[in-house]
Amino acid sequence: MIDSDYEKFKENLYNKIGLDLNQYKERQVKRRITQFMTKHGVSRFSDFYIVLSKDKAVLKRFRDYLTINTSEFFRDIKMYNNLRDNILPNLSKKNGSLKIWSAGCSIGAEPYSLAILLHEAKARSFRIDATDFDENILQTAEAGRYKANVLKNISENLKSKYFEAEGEEYRIKKRIKENIHFKQHNLLSDPYPQGYNLILCRNVFIYFTPETQNALLHKFSKSLKQGGYFILGTSEFVTQTEDFGFRKKAFSIYEKV
């Protein structure tokens, strides 16, 4: 049976902030929304939309909550080690300048981690495009200020080289920011930029329906240069890799062939 209250809520939310919940796995996203509604003392989706329409602060918290804006530097050490030891050196040999896309960059920990790796490798030239749907979280990313727990995977040596302590927070140094360009981007509706050597879209696919995942994979494949790499989260994977022109290179890492 169709939940008309929820269907109308999805339509209203899309018209208001451009987020198409029809592309997400319904059980997961509906459970998350219901949990948020319960905390705000609302049981009907129609009543909840009224709350969102009247209170911008609640709308902001809901948008942040729904788009899963949590991260940390060098999240999944094994993947970053593979990047450092294999992928980035291989790409650097073939290309004079590297073009990288961090899609769904959240608070900015991923693109900054990539920039630190490239600085450590003394990369000659690179550009990192860091995008997210949530404009509010992009402001946090651009500010580059983090609590100590977000930096738990960073050695004291790297911390002193690339961060400045400010009270209980750490601020990323300007030279790390210079090659990173933050921009709002909706993976579900906006055109995809082209010509990348490396694309990371980690811990985003798990929330989308299989049909949406396949559509996004085709778009990401077109955005990659031949010989480029596409990286998903550790709980995500590509089936039928040949359909997208990919070859699996390591766990959650695919090469465009």
Side-chain angles (χ1 to χ4, degrees):
M1 183 180 294
I2 296 176
D3 185 341
S4 59
D5 192 32
Y6 181 60
E7 292 300 313
K8 186 62 178 177
F9 173 80
K10 290 192 294 184
E11 179 184 342
N12 288 335
L13 190 69
Y14 176 74
N15 291 333
K16 190 170 187 64
I17 65 172
L19 184 62
D20 186 1
L21 296 182
N22 289 312
Q23 309 291 333
Y24 290 72
K25 295 176 181 175
E26 181 165 314
R27 184 189 301 180
Q28 291 183 0
V29 74
K30 196 172 183 180
R31 182 176 65 247
R32 286 185 62 81
I33 295 172
T34 302
Q35 290 171 346
F36 191 93
M37 288 168 52
T38 300
K39 292 179 181 178
H40 288 77
V42 183
S43 59
R44 289 178 54 84
F45 290 104
S46 55
D47 294 334
F48 182 49
Y49 183 73
I50 293 173
V51 173
L52 296 178
S53 299
K54 291 182 176 180
D55 195 325
K56 291 183 179 179
V58 175
L59 178 61
K60 179 184 181 301
R61 289 198 299 272
F62 176 66
R63 183 171 177 161
D64 292 348
Y65 170 82
L66 204 58
T67 49
I68 327 292
N69 287 314
T70 58
S71 190
E72 61 190 26
F73 280 78
F74 295 98
R75 183 178 180 182
D76 181 15
I77 293 295
K78 186 176 180 180
M79 186 279 293
Y80 277 103
N81 287 344
N82 200 339
L83 269 177
R84 180 195 65 202
D85 299 335
N86 302 303
I87 294 174
L88 291 177
N90 185 34
L91 288 174
S92 296
K93 288 179 183 177
K94 297 177 181 177
N95 304 274
S97 179
L98 296 183
K99 188 177 178 184
I100 300 169
W101 182 10
S102 172
C105 69
S106 187
I107 61 173
E110 180 174 273
Y112 287 136
S113 296
L114 291 168
I116 289 172
L117 278 186
L118 288 161
H119 274 276
E120 286 293 291
K122 295 179 171 53
R124 288 174 294 172
S125 177
F126 66 90
R127 173 192 173 99
I128 300 173
D129 292 329
T131 66
D132 202 277
F133 172 78
D134 190 339
E135 291 178 297
N136 295 313
I137 209 64
L138 285 172
Q139 293 178 13
T140 299
E142 287 191 274
R145 295 172 61 94
Y146 301 98
K147 298 289 187 182
N149 66 300
V150 182
L151 278 64
K152 64 183 181 180
N153 295 324
I154 297 181
S155 68
E156 290 300 321
N157 176 49
L158 292 183
K159 197 180 296 182
S160 64
K161 285 177 69 173
Y162 298 112
F163 294 85
E164 294 176 345
E166 294 185 348
E168 296 183 354
E169 294 184 323
Y170 292 86
R171 180 166 56 86
I172 195 83
K173 289 185 177 180
K174 183 179 179 180
R175 64 191 178 107
I176 294 298
K177 287 186 170 187
E178 290 176 346
N179 299 93
I180 302 176
H181 305 268
F182 291 100
K183 184 180 179 180
Q184 197 274 342
H185 183 268
N186 188 336
L187 288 171
L188 300 177
S189 60
D190 289 339
Y192 279 38
Q194 305 291 308
Y196 290 99
N197 307 108
L198 173 65
I199 298 176
L200 298 92
C201 186
R202 301 192 302 146
N203 307 306
V204 175
F205 270 50
I206 53 175
Y207 302 103
F208 292 135
T209 65
E211 294 78 14
T212 298
Q213 290 178 10
N214 288 339
L216 299 189
L217 284 168
H218 280 295
K219 292 180 181 180
F220 278 125
S221 179
K222 290 179 181 178
S223 292
L224 271 176
K225 290 183 176 180
Q226 187 171 348
Y229 292 86
F230 179 66
I231 301 180
L232 289 167
T234 55
S235 60
E236 302 165 323
F237 56 91
V238 178
T239 58
Q240 303 299 321
T241 53
E242 64 276 5
D243 290 349
F244 311 102
F246 290 153
R247 175 173 60 199
K248 187 172 182 179
K249 294 293 290 185
F251 193 69
S252 298
I253 300 176
Y254 303 87
E255 182 182 13
K256 182 175 178 178
V257 295

